[in-house]
Amino acid sequence: MDIELNILNNWINSSENVVFISGPDFSAEAGFPDYRQMEEGYLDHYKYPPDEILCLSFLQRNPFYFYRYYRDKILAPVLAAQPSPAHLALARLEEIGTLKAILTVNIDGIHQEAGSREVVELHGSVMRSWCAKCEKFMDFFYIVDSPTHIPYCNVDMCGDYVRPAIVLKEEPYDFTLLEKALDYVRNADVLIIDGSALKSFPVPNLMAAYQGYKLALINTAPLVFDSRAGVVIRNHTYTEIFQQLQLDL
């Protein structure tokens, strides 16, 4: 076992307050690729970049195109994704009392599918939907099973569109969730961060709030953040990491 993995192994095995922050690379191992990336050939199918489509104003002025992107790039991959061994390992760590919470910028609900219970979804989740007019909440399948391309609310003849409960650009974040995440980080003994999450608000702020010395950064490019970490692990998938750690799961 690598020295860095051995240190992380000892931290986790001696702790009862581990917090894990996950980002898009963690979900990618479960078969849910980062929907915000423009892969090769993207512009042959979509004339707008993801950053523009995933804006509140874009949804309001062009809902048909928004739902085309949402169904192709988010909904279909979510339906096909399956929890990775790393997702299952985190759920087991929570079950035995070692892991206190997962904080995530992912919107796919895969952590919950794996069995994790305390998941703070900082950017919302596609597992919930809500009406933009009457604010009635629906489940994931309301949009999946909609007979129309744009899903419309059927509550009391409301008739407005139903949207996924995710945080789009130009929208405020849930202050209550941010406070909850900060409390978890401030009280954590061990904080483990998927490096891909550091590209998204509020993860750099959460890391800055951590006051301990057992900070592990995984698969992040060399950054100024590295100087804060007690352990930096690169060139391993998350599944490989959890397979090598000698945890009592």
Side-chain angles (χ1 to χ4, degrees):
M1 185 186 299
D2 295 347
I3 294 175
E4 291 81 6
L5 283 172
N6 187 56
I7 294 171
L8 180 58
N9 187 79
N10 292 336
W11 284 356
I12 295 174
N13 280 327
S14 61
S15 175
E16 294 182 350
N17 195 338
V18 176
V19 172
F20 190 94
I21 302 180
S22 66
D25 285 355
F26 204 85
S27 285
E29 289 192 23
F32 185 70
D34 189 352
Y35 56 91
R36 291 158 293 199
Q37 299 297 316
M38 289 197 300
E39 71 279 5
E40 185 176 355
Y42 175 92
L43 292 176
D44 294 334
H45 301 281
Y46 305 95
K47 59 182 180 180
Y48 305 100
D51 279 351
E52 183 175 351
I53 295 172
L54 295 168
C55 288
L56 177 61
S57 57
F58 187 93
L59 169 60
Q60 292 170 336
R61 72 175 183 269
N62 198 344
F64 186 90
Y65 206 97
F66 175 92
Y67 282 101
R68 179 191 167 199
Y69 176 89
Y70 176 72
R71 291 180 183 279
D72 291 349
K73 305 297 289 183
I74 299 179
L75 191 57
V78 163
L79 288 168
Q82 294 291 327
S84 70
H87 283 86
L88 298 173
L90 287 179
R92 179 61 180 144
L93 278 173
E94 181 186 22
E95 184 180 350
I96 65 176
T98 299
L99 182 72
K100 292 304 179 187
I102 297 170
L103 317 179
T104 187
V105 296
N106 298 333
I107 62 173
D108 47 61
I110 300 174
H111 284 299
Q112 290 92 328
E113 186 178 353
S116 294
R117 297 182 299 277
E118 188 56 26
V119 182
V120 180
E121 296 170 312
L122 299 165
H123 288 192
S125 173
V126 299
M127 295 296 115
R128 299 179 299 277
S129 305
W130 62 282
C131 173
K133 181 178 179 182
C134 72
E135 299 185 350
K136 173 73 174 180
F137 273 85
M138 291 83 165
D139 66 16
F140 171 74
F141 290 100
Y142 192 93
I143 294 179
V144 174
D145 297 334
S146 172
T148 56
H149 178 75
I150 300 174
Y152 293 103
C153 179
N154 62 8
V155 176
D156 297 328
M157 304 299 291
C158 173
D160 208 337
Y161 59 81
V162 172
R163 50 160 291 185
I166 59 177
V167 180
L168 299 174
K169 291 178 68 175
E170 306 166 341
E171 287 189 300
Y173 288 86
D174 186 323
F175 182 77
T176 302
L177 282 183
L178 295 179
E179 282 293 324
K180 186 175 184 180
L182 277 170
D183 286 342
Y184 274 124
V185 167
R186 287 169 178 153
N187 293 317
D189 177 31
V190 179
L191 179 62
I192 307 171
I193 302 179
D194 163 7
S196 64
L198 284 165
K199 301 174 185 177
S200 301
F201 177 85
V203 179
N205 308 69
L206 293 173
M207 187 183 71
Y210 177 63
Q211 300 301 309
Y213 66 91
K214 297 178 181 178
L215 171 64
L217 299 180
I218 300 178
N219 290 340
T220 179
L223 297 168
V224 66
F225 299 130
D226 291 0
S227 62
R228 284 216 56 207
V231 168
V232 178
I233 298 171
R234 295 197 176 96
N235 302 318
H236 290 283
T237 66
Y238 295 96
T239 294
E240 289 171 347
I241 289 169
F242 280 101
Q243 286 174 340
Q244 291 188 54
L245 293 177
Q246 297 171 355
L247 306 174
D248 185 17
L249 303 180

